[in-house]
Amino acid sequence: MRPSQLARVLEEEFRSAAQGHHTPAMIWGPPGVGKSQIVAQVADRHAAPMIDIRLSQMEPSDLRGIPFRVDDTVDWAIPAMLPNTDRHGPNGILFLDEITSAAPTVSAAAYQLILDRRLGHYQVPDGWAIFAAGNRQGDRGVTYVMPSPLANRFSHFEIEVHLDDWVQWAYGEGIDDRVIGFLRLRPELLFDFDAEHNPSAFPTPRSWEFAHRALRKFESDPLVLGEALQACVGPAAGMQLHAFVQHAAELPDLDDVLAGKDTAIPESVDLQYAVAAALVGRAVRANGESKLETVLGPILTYAGQFPQREIGVMLVCDLMRGVGEEAVFGAPEFKPWADQVAELLVYD
């Protein structure tokens, strides 16, 4: 399932908790694809608290609580980390991360919490959604087979890496335009993990964010930058990104493009991808500064000049994801561009 589709599922599951229709959701996927981040984004959109419990670091008593004597009986002290209406509010997300890395005794303690929304006398408040996430057994992490009684307490979703969804997220998060342009050129490198070789550093959506940070920190020192990029995404991808970044210094003047001046399209394909990503990045930033209308027209006009029209289509599609379809469709320059590439457009 695409990240954008999974986000919509989790949104509905969050809303349904207050209505009594919530089903706990289990998210499966390899390391670094953004499982926990999608859950956190749902919480952020609703300004709701998220309690993140890493079950791999838990003992059974951490969930069940500590027994203590009350006269001639034994009661249980409820862990403070579990959702409580007074402390945390009436709505929120209880996120059980790394559930497949939890010891079987911890998983057993979670059974009742997940299905019955209770542990002994403790009750998960109405309005709180329960989500969990974990790696698959073939991902070379520390994992246990999920017991059938536990698996049957969830609806199950496996997340897949999708470049369009990542690009939309990346523009919104201010990821360096050159990283986005490179991955548009080399989409197979967004996620490249071989469990058989078990590398230390490898390309994932998460590690490309690390590469963005390395660019911010070490760009002024090319020798260090090359090593830092390899440390983030692995030797092969790191060296290729470094070469791409160095070549991107030859980009045309984007200010001339945005001013509507006659600006040549770069001859090399990698620079074409780089300039396309950079223009979308400029539009996203202009949208945040309420200056979008001044840049949309020149960008759409420039998009129609690419010799490989697919790159111009990619540019405009990313533009729609970054600033909204309504804004792009409303620009006077959109129709002439669309007429130029009509046979290439596929709507989904």
Side-chain angles (χ1 to χ4, degrees):
M1 176 175 280
R2 288 177 56 167
S4 59
Q5 295 170 330
L6 178 60
R8 290 199 292 272
V9 169
L10 298 185
E11 287 275 355
E12 286 304 315
E13 287 295 351
F14 175 81
R15 294 190 187 99
S16 69
Q19 302 165 3
H21 303 307
H22 172 66
T23 302
M26 172 68 197
I27 307 166
W28 296 90
V33 297
K35 299 184 292 294
S36 57
Q37 194 168 50
I38 291 175
V39 177
Q41 288 169 353
V42 173
D44 288 343
R45 279 193 288 272
H46 293 274
M50 182 180 86
I51 296 177
D52 185 342
I53 297 177
R54 304 296 170 109
L55 290 180
S56 61
Q57 303 169 20
M58 295 286 170
E59 297 289 339
S61 59
D62 293 331
L63 281 180
R64 184 67 178 86
I66 303 297
F68 64 93
R69 180 174 176 175
V70 179
D71 298 326
D72 294 330
T73 62
V74 171
D75 208 340
W76 294 82
I78 299 171
M81 64 182 173
L82 293 176
N84 177 278
T85 301
D86 294 334
R87 290 196 305 271
H88 305 112
N91 305 101
I93 295 173
L94 175 59
F95 182 42
L96 306 175
D97 203 359
E98 301 174 358
I99 191 170
T100 53
S101 300
T105 52
V106 178
S107 297
Y111 288 1
Q112 188 183 18
L113 179 66
I114 293 165
L115 182 62
D116 299 330
R117 302 178 62 88
R118 65 184 311 119
L119 270 176
H121 297 305
Y122 169 75
Q123 177 78 44
V124 178
D126 295 338
W128 278 73
I130 299 176
F131 300 141
N135 298 133
R136 306 163 303 185
Q137 269 205 296
D139 293 327
R140 293 297 292 269
V142 178
T143 58
Y144 296 90
V145 176
M146 181 176 281
S148 297
L150 179 59
N152 197 233
R153 284 160 164 76
F154 287 111
S155 57
H156 295 263
F157 302 93
E158 184 162 347
I159 188 173
E160 65 182 30
V161 176
H162 197 283
L163 182 60
D164 287 345
D165 287 357
W166 183 85
V167 166
Q168 182 175 4
W169 169 86
Y171 279 122
E173 293 295 317
I175 298 298
D176 194 291
D177 301 334
R178 293 165 296 181
V179 175
I180 300 172
F182 173 72
L183 290 174
R184 276 300 189 192
L185 177 66
R186 297 295 309 277
E188 73 280 5
L189 290 179
L190 176 60
F191 181 81
D192 186 17
F193 172 57
D194 185 353
E196 294 299 320
H197 292 87
N198 198 24
S200 299
F202 51 94
T204 68
R206 178 167 57 202
S207 62
W208 285 114
E209 184 178 1
F210 297 164
H212 152 77
R213 297 177 191 171
L215 274 171
R216 289 287 183 267
K217 291 179 284 192
F218 305 117
E219 186 170 5
S220 61
D221 190 337
L223 292 178
V224 173
L225 177 62
E227 295 294 331
L229 293 176
Q230 293 180 52
C232 295
V233 294
M239 286 189 289
Q240 292 178 60
L241 175 61
H242 192 205
F244 183 88
V245 167
Q246 291 176 316
H247 198 193
E250 304 170 17
L251 282 179
D253 190 325
L254 296 184
D255 289 332
D256 286 347
V257 175
L258 298 178
K261 296 180 181 180
D262 187 15
T263 308
I265 300 288
E267 292 185 5
S268 66
V269 173
D270 59 343
L271 284 182
Q272 291 177 26
Y273 276 96
V275 74
L279 287 172
V280 175
R282 292 286 287 268
V284 170
R285 290 188 284 277
N287 190 35
E289 299 169 359
S290 301
K291 300 177 181 177
L292 181 60
E293 291 184 2
T294 64
V295 303
L296 266 184
I299 291 176
L300 288 167
T301 300
Y302 194 75
Q305 299 173 17
F306 282 87
Q308 297 189 58
R309 291 181 297 170
E310 292 84 354
I311 297 179
V313 171
M314 177 207 74
L315 189 163
V316 176
C317 288
D318 283 350
L319 196 62
M320 292 178 186
R321 297 184 186 98
V323 303
E325 294 181 357
E326 185 176 346
V328 177
F329 289 159
E333 294 83 1
F334 176 77
K335 187 178 186 305
W337 172 82
D339 290 341
Q340 286 180 274
V341 298
E343 72 276 14
L344 297 178
L345 297 180
V346 176
Y347 298 96
D348 57 10

